[in-house]
Amino acid sequence: MAIARKLRMGMVGGSLDAFIGAVHRMAAWLDGEIELVCGAFSSSAEKSKATGAALRLPAIRSYASYEEMIRTEKELPADQRMDFIAIVTPNHMHFGPAKLAMENGFHVVLDKPVTFTYAEAVELKQVIEKTGALFCLTHTYTGYPMIKEARQLLAAGKIGKLRKVYVEYPQGWLTEFREGSNYKQAAWRTDPKRSGISGCMGDIGTHAFNMAEYVTGLKVEAICADLQITVPGRLLDDDGSVLLRMENGVTGNLFATQVAAGEENNLKIRVYGEKGGIEWKQEDANTLLVKWLHEPTQVYRAGSPYLSSFAQLGTRTPPGHPEGYLEAFANIYRNFAFTLQCRLNETEPKQEWLDFPGIDAGIRGMLFIEKVVESSQSELKWTTL
């Protein structure tokens, strides 16, 4: 693949006090394929300018709004304008900039969940199909090399016909009523006007759902959900459990909570088949356990030569050197960048490079959110997706 230059990225959201904006910038920078050239970093023009200055961008490339950025960048010479935008705003501000960017010839990387509602997600897919834009959704955890290895092992039938899936995502950071303070992350993630109809399930339950479908390659067909608000005064769910019925008769259990005091980000998945099972957890991301019915458990480690090409591409260091969240995030950006470079060069990307979440994963996530809320509120419980 001939790479003549770095891809030029613009950013919507991600001011200096925003956690996820910095994560996106680090992930995009890590492999040297992308450079940040402009941004509309805040709804406050002054804050956007200050962020651009801190990031050493020219003052004229720090914009007061995403509309101004897209309009101005489109008029720049081809060798200067941005190639794509990364949207790192709260959920209610995803659809507008993504749609406008693609309609004006720019590709899009978007933080999850894809949109504010399921209807917006479906409409966004129509925009993608109409414009032909390349679209990437940053479901971070699919970037871990040992998650990719798990997906390849299951796809190859190594543990036999699948039977059971357990996926969990416990956090503890909202055990107290933190949205009542100046804590920005807590304030918007628990606000229905900015986060949507679900709190915990919309925020991290979608990651667990995406993990279950990505690793197994199977879709969830029906759910039975129970959502709770455990902290007094909170407006959205902070805890929930979901029974899953998946394709091929596979059943599963999913739980997500943000009120598990003492927990950090202990995402974990286990999948069992007729011959054995796999187990992975984010707190030991370089390890994949492969369990067998009549043999000892095997320990697969990141960076090892026996792993699939998908896992090896996602590993940057020799065995025993820890890699984590930023590297997994960067794997998504790198695959997107390689695929976009191929499109610009009119060449075919490798299959490994195409392994990043797209609009269909986003639509599935939004459908999950809406059906989880529907199921939790229904007396019938079992709800089809």
mmCIF file of all heavy atoms in Angstrom, residues 9-49:
data_model
loop_
_atom_site.group_PDB
_atom_site.id
_atom_site.type_symbol
_atom_site.label_atom_id
_atom_site.label_comp_id
_atom_site.label_asym_id
_atom_site.label_seq_id
_atom_site.Cartn_x
_atom_site.Cartn_y
_atom_site.Cartn_z
ATOM 1 N N MET A 9 -7.039 14.843 9.980
ATOM 2 C CA MET A 9 -8.227 14.672 10.801
ATOM 3 C C MET A 9 -8.692 15.999 11.380
ATOM 4 O O MET A 9 -7.890 16.789 11.867
ATOM 5 C CB MET A 9 -7.932 13.698 11.953
ATOM 6 C CG MET A 9 -9.104 13.459 12.900
ATOM 7 S SD MET A 9 -8.750 12.246 14.204
ATOM 8 C CE MET A 9 -7.847 13.263 15.374
ATOM 9 N N GLY A 10 -10.001 16.226 11.340
ATOM 10 C CA GLY A 10 -10.644 17.291 12.089
ATOM 11 C C GLY A 10 -11.405 16.683 13.245
ATOM 12 O O GLY A 10 -11.798 15.515 13.193
ATOM 13 N N MET A 11 -11.647 17.450 14.290
ATOM 14 C CA MET A 11 -12.334 16.919 15.468
ATOM 15 C C MET A 11 -13.502 17.808 15.855
ATOM 16 O O MET A 11 -13.386 19.032 15.854
ATOM 17 C CB MET A 11 -11.355 16.780 16.638
ATOM 18 C CG MET A 11 -11.987 16.238 17.915
ATOM 19 S SD MET A 11 -10.763 15.724 19.159
ATOM 20 C CE MET A 11 -10.314 14.102 18.509
ATOM 21 N N VAL A 12 -14.622 17.171 16.187
ATOM 22 C CA VAL A 12 -15.788 17.867 16.719
ATOM 23 C C VAL A 12 -15.956 17.441 18.169
ATOM 24 O O VAL A 12 -16.141 16.250 18.449
ATOM 25 C CB VAL A 12 -17.061 17.544 15.918
ATOM 26 C CG1 VAL A 12 -18.270 18.247 16.536
ATOM 27 C CG2 VAL A 12 -16.900 17.952 14.461
ATOM 28 N N GLY A 13 -15.895 18.395 19.104
ATOM 29 C CA GLY A 13 -15.881 18.083 20.524
ATOM 30 C C GLY A 13 -14.449 17.840 20.976
ATOM 31 O O GLY A 13 -13.488 18.061 20.239
ATOM 32 N N GLY A 14 -14.305 17.376 22.217
ATOM 33 C CA GLY A 14 -12.977 17.009 22.697
ATOM 34 C C GLY A 14 -12.145 18.171 23.195
ATOM 35 O O GLY A 14 -10.935 18.204 22.962
ATOM 36 N N SER A 15 -12.771 19.134 23.878
ATOM 37 C CA SER A 15 -12.011 20.253 24.443
ATOM 38 C C SER A 15 -11.071 19.748 25.531
ATOM 39 O O SER A 15 -11.080 18.559 25.875
ATOM 40 C CB SER A 15 -12.955 21.314 25.000
ATOM 41 O OG SER A 15 -13.746 20.779 26.052
ATOM 42 N N LEU A 16 -10.278 20.628 26.076
ATOM 43 C CA LEU A 16 -9.197 20.234 26.981
ATOM 44 C C LEU A 16 -9.681 19.487 28.217
ATOM 45 O O LEU A 16 -8.946 18.666 28.770
ATOM 46 C CB LEU A 16 -8.392 21.469 27.394
ATOM 47 C CG LEU A 16 -7.571 22.125 26.280
ATOM 48 C CD1 LEU A 16 -6.848 23.345 26.805
ATOM 49 C CD2 LEU A 16 -6.574 21.127 25.691
ATOM 50 N N ASP A 17 -10.905 19.751 28.670
ATOM 51 C CA ASP A 17 -11.399 19.084 29.877
ATOM 52 C C ASP A 17 -12.255 17.867 29.560
ATOM 53 O O ASP A 17 -12.915 17.321 30.438
ATOM 54 C CB ASP A 17 -12.192 20.070 30.738
ATOM 55 C CG ASP A 17 -13.401 20.651 30.013
ATOM 56 O OD1 ASP A 17 -13.515 20.444 28.790
ATOM 57 O OD2 ASP A 17 -14.221 21.309 30.668
ATOM 58 N N ALA A 18 -12.241 17.408 28.307
ATOM 59 C CA ALA A 18 -13.040 16.249 27.903
ATOM 60 C C ALA A 18 -12.156 15.002 27.856
ATOM 61 O O ALA A 18 -11.171 14.952 27.119
ATOM 62 C CB ALA A 18 -13.678 16.495 26.537
ATOM 63 N N PHE A 19 -12.532 13.979 28.613
ATOM 64 C CA PHE A 19 -11.738 12.752 28.692
ATOM 65 C C PHE A 19 -11.586 12.069 27.335
ATOM 66 O O PHE A 19 -10.482 11.774 26.881
ATOM 67 C CB PHE A 19 -12.394 11.794 29.690
ATOM 68 C CG PHE A 19 -12.062 10.345 29.463
ATOM 69 C CD1 PHE A 19 -10.795 9.860 29.746
ATOM 70 C CD2 PHE A 19 -13.010 9.458 28.966
ATOM 71 C CE1 PHE A 19 -10.478 8.522 29.530
ATOM 72 C CE2 PHE A 19 -12.707 8.131 28.746
ATOM 73 C CZ PHE A 19 -11.434 7.657 29.031
ATOM 74 N N ILE A 20 -12.711 11.816 26.659
ATOM 75 C CA ILE A 20 -12.658 10.966 25.473
ATOM 76 C C ILE A 20 -11.982 11.649 24.295
ATOM 77 O O ILE A 20 -11.411 10.985 23.433
ATOM 78 C CB ILE A 20 -14.069 10.468 25.101
ATOM 79 C CG1 ILE A 20 -13.976 9.177 24.257
ATOM 80 C CG2 ILE A 20 -14.867 11.549 24.383
ATOM 81 C CD1 ILE A 20 -13.395 8.002 25.008
ATOM 82 N N GLY A 21 -12.008 12.990 24.244
ATOM 83 C CA GLY A 21 -11.331 13.688 23.157
ATOM 84 C C GLY A 21 -9.837 13.427 23.168
ATOM 85 O O GLY A 21 -9.224 13.157 22.126
ATOM 86 N N ALA A 22 -9.246 13.486 24.339
ATOM 87 C CA ALA A 22 -7.809 13.223 24.456
ATOM 88 C C ALA A 22 -7.487 11.780 24.073
ATOM 89 O O ALA A 22 -6.464 11.507 23.433
ATOM 90 C CB ALA A 22 -7.343 13.515 25.882
ATOM 91 N N VAL A 23 -8.365 10.855 24.450
ATOM 92 C CA VAL A 23 -8.162 9.450 24.102
ATOM 93 C C VAL A 23 -8.175 9.266 22.587
ATOM 94 O O VAL A 23 -7.311 8.582 22.022
ATOM 95 C CB VAL A 23 -9.239 8.566 24.762
ATOM 96 C CG1 VAL A 23 -9.181 7.143 24.226
ATOM 97 C CG2 VAL A 23 -9.062 8.561 26.280
ATOM 98 N N HIS A 24 -9.122 9.879 21.906
ATOM 99 C CA HIS A 24 -9.178 9.797 20.446
ATOM 100 C C HIS A 24 -7.915 10.375 19.813
ATOM 101 O O HIS A 24 -7.366 9.805 18.859
ATOM 102 C CB HIS A 24 -10.398 10.556 19.920
ATOM 103 C CG HIS A 24 -11.660 9.760 19.915
ATOM 104 N ND1 HIS A 24 -12.146 9.135 18.791
ATOM 105 C CD2 HIS A 24 -12.540 9.480 20.915
ATOM 106 C CE1 HIS A 24 -13.276 8.510 19.077
ATOM 107 N NE2 HIS A 24 -13.550 8.711 20.363
ATOM 108 N N ARG A 25 -7.458 11.501 20.324
ATOM 109 C CA ARG A 25 -6.253 12.119 19.733
ATOM 110 C C ARG A 25 -5.026 11.230 19.917
ATOM 111 O O ARG A 25 -4.221 11.066 18.993
ATOM 112 C CB ARG A 25 -6.033 13.502 20.345
ATOM 113 C CG ARG A 25 -7.059 14.538 19.887
ATOM 114 C CD ARG A 25 -6.681 15.943 20.317
ATOM 115 N NE ARG A 25 -6.829 16.181 21.738
ATOM 116 C CZ ARG A 25 -7.923 16.647 22.330
ATOM 117 N NH1 ARG A 25 -9.004 16.914 21.597
ATOM 118 N NH2 ARG A 25 -7.960 16.862 23.629
ATOM 119 N N MET A 26 -4.878 10.658 21.100
ATOM 120 C CA MET A 26 -3.740 9.762 21.337
ATOM 121 C C MET A 26 -3.819 8.526 20.463
ATOM 122 O O MET A 26 -2.810 8.078 19.890
ATOM 123 C CB MET A 26 -3.684 9.373 22.817
ATOM 124 C CG MET A 26 -3.198 10.478 23.733
ATOM 125 S SD MET A 26 -2.999 9.954 25.469
ATOM 126 C CE MET A 26 -4.701 9.991 26.035
ATOM 127 N N ALA A 27 -5.015 7.956 20.347
ATOM 128 C CA ALA A 27 -5.190 6.745 19.535
ATOM 129 C C ALA A 27 -4.913 7.023 18.066
ATOM 130 O O ALA A 27 -4.271 6.220 17.373
ATOM 131 C CB ALA A 27 -6.607 6.201 19.716
ATOM 132 N N ALA A 28 -5.390 8.153 17.575
ATOM 133 C CA ALA A 28 -5.171 8.503 16.171
ATOM 134 C C ALA A 28 -3.697 8.754 15.881
ATOM 135 O O ALA A 28 -3.208 8.458 14.781
ATOM 136 C CB ALA A 28 -5.994 9.739 15.814
ATOM 137 N N TRP A 29 -2.992 9.281 16.849
ATOM 138 C CA TRP A 29 -1.578 9.658 16.666
ATOM 139 C C TRP A 29 -0.634 8.467 16.746
ATOM 140 O O TRP A 29 0.446 8.472 16.148
ATOM 141 C CB TRP A 29 -1.217 10.680 17.750
ATOM 142 C CG TRP A 29 0.245 10.991 17.845
ATOM 143 C CD1 TRP A 29 0.955 11.891 17.108
ATOM 144 C CD2 TRP A 29 1.188 10.364 18.737
ATOM 145 N NE1 TRP A 29 2.277 11.878 17.493
ATOM 146 C CE2 TRP A 29 2.449 10.956 18.482
ATOM 147 C CE3 TRP A 29 1.090 9.389 19.729
ATOM 148 C CZ2 TRP A 29 3.599 10.581 19.194
ATOM 149 C CZ3 TRP A 29 2.233 9.007 20.423
ATOM 150 C CH2 TRP A 29 3.457 9.609 20.146
ATOM 151 N N LEU A 30 -1.015 7.412 17.464
ATOM 152 C CA LEU A 30 -0.086 6.377 17.902
ATOM 153 C C LEU A 30 0.693 5.716 16.770
ATOM 154 O O LEU A 30 1.883 5.436 16.907
ATOM 155 C CB LEU A 30 -0.843 5.316 18.711
ATOM 156 C CG LEU A 30 0.021 4.285 19.457
ATOM 157 C CD1 LEU A 30 0.953 4.966 20.446
ATOM 158 C CD2 LEU A 30 -0.866 3.289 20.189
ATOM 159 N N ASP A 31 0.061 5.460 15.644
ATOM 160 C CA ASP A 31 0.733 4.728 14.562
ATOM 161 C C ASP A 31 1.310 5.625 13.481
ATOM 162 O O ASP A 31 1.834 5.128 12.478
ATOM 163 C CB ASP A 31 -0.239 3.723 13.936
ATOM 164 C CG ASP A 31 -0.542 2.578 14.882
ATOM 165 O OD1 ASP A 31 0.359 1.771 15.140
ATOM 166 O OD2 ASP A 31 -1.671 2.499 15.379
ATOM 167 N N GLY A 32 1.225 6.926 13.662
ATOM 168 C CA GLY A 32 1.832 7.840 12.701
ATOM 169 C C GLY A 32 1.128 7.933 11.369
ATOM 170 O O GLY A 32 1.695 8.436 10.396
ATOM 171 N N GLU A 33 -0.129 7.477 11.301
ATOM 172 C CA GLU A 33 -0.878 7.505 10.048
ATOM 173 C C GLU A 33 -1.775 8.738 9.930
ATOM 174 O O GLU A 33 -2.288 9.027 8.852
ATOM 175 C CB GLU A 33 -1.747 6.249 9.934
ATOM 176 C CG GLU A 33 -0.977 4.937 9.899
ATOM 177 C CD GLU A 33 -0.130 4.794 8.650
ATOM 178 O OE1 GLU A 33 -0.495 5.381 7.610
ATOM 179 O OE2 GLU A 33 0.890 4.097 8.720
ATOM 180 N N ILE A 34 -1.996 9.429 11.049
ATOM 181 C CA ILE A 34 -3.004 10.491 11.106
ATOM 182 C C ILE A 34 -2.431 11.711 11.818
ATOM 183 O O ILE A 34 -1.684 11.583 12.783
ATOM 184 C CB ILE A 34 -4.252 9.992 11.869
ATOM 185 C CG1 ILE A 34 -4.907 8.813 11.134
ATOM 186 C CG2 ILE A 34 -5.260 11.115 12.077
ATOM 187 C CD1 ILE A 34 -5.944 8.069 11.958
ATOM 188 N N GLU A 35 -2.798 12.900 11.335
ATOM 189 C CA GLU A 35 -2.449 14.132 12.033
ATOM 190 C C GLU A 35 -3.701 14.983 12.212
ATOM 191 O O GLU A 35 -4.563 15.045 11.339
ATOM 192 C CB GLU A 35 -1.385 14.917 11.271
ATOM 193 C CG GLU A 35 -1.787 15.348 9.869
ATOM 194 C CD GLU A 35 -0.696 16.147 9.176
ATOM 195 O OE1 GLU A 35 0.112 16.779 9.882
ATOM 196 O OE2 GLU A 35 -0.659 16.125 7.935
ATOM 197 N N LEU A 36 -3.818 15.624 13.364
ATOM 198 C CA LEU A 36 -4.924 16.530 13.654
ATOM 199 C C LEU A 36 -4.617 17.879 13.031
ATOM 200 O O LEU A 36 -3.592 18.488 13.323
ATOM 201 C CB LEU A 36 -5.105 16.672 15.161
ATOM 202 C CG LEU A 36 -6.220 17.616 15.622
ATOM 203 C CD1 LEU A 36 -7.587 17.035 15.286
ATOM 204 C CD2 LEU A 36 -6.106 17.878 17.127
ATOM 205 N N VAL A 37 -5.508 18.364 12.165
ATOM 206 C CA VAL A 37 -5.247 19.628 11.471
ATOM 207 C C VAL A 37 -6.247 20.716 11.803
ATOM 208 O O VAL A 37 -6.006 21.893 11.527
ATOM 209 C CB VAL A 37 -5.211 19.420 9.930
ATOM 210 C CG1 VAL A 37 -4.084 18.472 9.550
ATOM 211 C CG2 VAL A 37 -6.555 18.924 9.409
ATOM 212 N N CYS A 38 -7.388 20.356 12.400
ATOM 213 C CA CYS A 38 -8.390 21.368 12.698
ATOM 214 C C CYS A 38 -9.393 20.820 13.694
ATOM 215 O O CYS A 38 -9.404 19.615 13.984
ATOM 216 C CB CYS A 38 -9.103 21.829 11.432
ATOM 217 S SG CYS A 38 -10.070 20.541 10.603
ATOM 218 N N GLY A 39 -10.242 21.705 14.211
ATOM 219 C CA GLY A 39 -11.259 21.234 15.132
ATOM 220 C C GLY A 39 -12.271 22.298 15.502
ATOM 221 O O GLY A 39 -11.992 23.496 15.460
ATOM 222 N N ALA A 40 -13.459 21.824 15.843
ATOM 223 C CA ALA A 40 -14.484 22.635 16.513
ATOM 224 C C ALA A 40 -14.692 21.933 17.847
ATOM 225 O O ALA A 40 -15.538 21.059 17.979
ATOM 226 C CB ALA A 40 -15.763 22.679 15.692
ATOM 227 N N PHE A 41 -13.882 22.291 18.816
ATOM 228 C CA PHE A 41 -13.703 21.490 20.017
ATOM 229 C C PHE A 41 -14.760 21.719 21.090
ATOM 230 O O PHE A 41 -14.818 20.965 22.058
ATOM 231 C CB PHE A 41 -12.317 21.755 20.603
ATOM 232 C CG PHE A 41 -11.188 21.441 19.668
ATOM 233 C CD1 PHE A 41 -10.509 22.450 19.012
ATOM 234 C CD2 PHE A 41 -10.823 20.129 19.423
ATOM 235 C CE1 PHE A 41 -9.472 22.164 18.138
ATOM 236 C CE2 PHE A 41 -9.790 19.829 18.550
ATOM 237 C CZ PHE A 41 -9.110 20.849 17.899
ATOM 238 N N SER A 42 -15.581 22.751 20.934
ATOM 239 C CA SER A 42 -16.572 23.062 21.956
ATOM 240 C C SER A 42 -17.681 23.918 21.359
ATOM 241 O O SER A 42 -17.486 24.601 20.344
ATOM 242 C CB SER A 42 -15.909 23.811 23.120
ATOM 243 O OG SER A 42 -16.860 24.292 24.036
ATOM 244 N N SER A 43 -18.844 23.890 22.001
ATOM 245 C CA SER A 43 -19.923 24.790 21.604
ATOM 246 C C SER A 43 -19.592 26.235 21.963
ATOM 247 O O SER A 43 -20.213 27.168 21.458
ATOM 248 C CB SER A 43 -21.229 24.374 22.274
ATOM 249 O OG SER A 43 -21.079 24.342 23.680
ATOM 250 N N SER A 44 -18.597 26.411 22.829
ATOM 251 C CA SER A 44 -18.081 27.739 23.157
ATOM 252 C C SER A 44 -16.939 28.071 22.205
ATOM 253 O O SER A 44 -15.923 27.374 22.177
ATOM 254 C CB SER A 44 -17.582 27.779 24.602
ATOM 255 O OG SER A 44 -16.743 28.894 24.825
ATOM 256 N N ALA A 45 -17.095 29.131 21.407
ATOM 257 C CA ALA A 45 -16.051 29.513 20.455
ATOM 258 C C ALA A 45 -14.746 29.807 21.168
ATOM 259 O O ALA A 45 -13.660 29.442 20.698
ATOM 260 C CB ALA A 45 -16.513 30.730 19.649
ATOM 261 N N GLU A 46 -14.826 30.448 22.319
ATOM 262 C CA GLU A 46 -13.621 30.796 23.083
ATOM 263 C C GLU A 46 -12.901 29.538 23.559
ATOM 264 O O GLU A 46 -11.677 29.439 23.474
ATOM 265 C CB GLU A 46 -14.015 31.670 24.268
ATOM 266 C CG GLU A 46 -12.840 32.124 25.120
ATOM 267 C CD GLU A 46 -13.270 33.013 26.270
ATOM 268 O OE1 GLU A 46 -14.425 33.482 26.274
ATOM 269 O OE2 GLU A 46 -12.442 33.230 27.186
ATOM 270 N N LYS A 47 -13.676 28.573 24.037
ATOM 271 C CA LYS A 47 -13.094 27.316 24.511
ATOM 272 C C LYS A 47 -12.489 26.516 23.356
ATOM 273 O O LYS A 47 -11.437 25.880 23.506
ATOM 274 C CB LYS A 47 -14.180 26.495 25.201
ATOM 275 C CG LYS A 47 -13.672 25.422 26.128
ATOM 276 C CD LYS A 47 -14.842 24.832 26.897
ATOM 277 C CE LYS A 47 -14.375 23.819 27.908
ATOM 278 N NZ LYS A 47 -15.514 23.254 28.677
ATOM 279 N N SER A 48 -13.139 26.558 22.205
ATOM 280 C CA SER A 48 -12.615 25.867 21.031
ATOM 281 C C SER A 48 -11.284 26.465 20.599
ATOM 282 O O SER A 48 -10.326 25.736 20.302
ATOM 283 C CB SER A 48 -13.624 25.939 19.880
ATOM 284 O OG SER A 48 -13.158 25.225 18.751
ATOM 285 N N LYS A 49 -11.209 27.790 20.591
ATOM 286 C CA LYS A 49 -9.962 28.468 20.227
ATOM 287 C C LYS A 49 -8.853 28.133 21.218
ATOM 288 O O LYS A 49 -7.701 27.896 20.825
ATOM 289 C CB LYS A 49 -10.182 29.977 20.173
ATOM 290 C CG LYS A 49 -11.080 30.450 19.041
ATOM 291 C CD LYS A 49 -10.388 30.353 17.697
ATOM 292 C CE LYS A 49 -11.257 30.937 16.584
ATOM 293 N NZ LYS A 49 -10.620 30.788 15.243
#
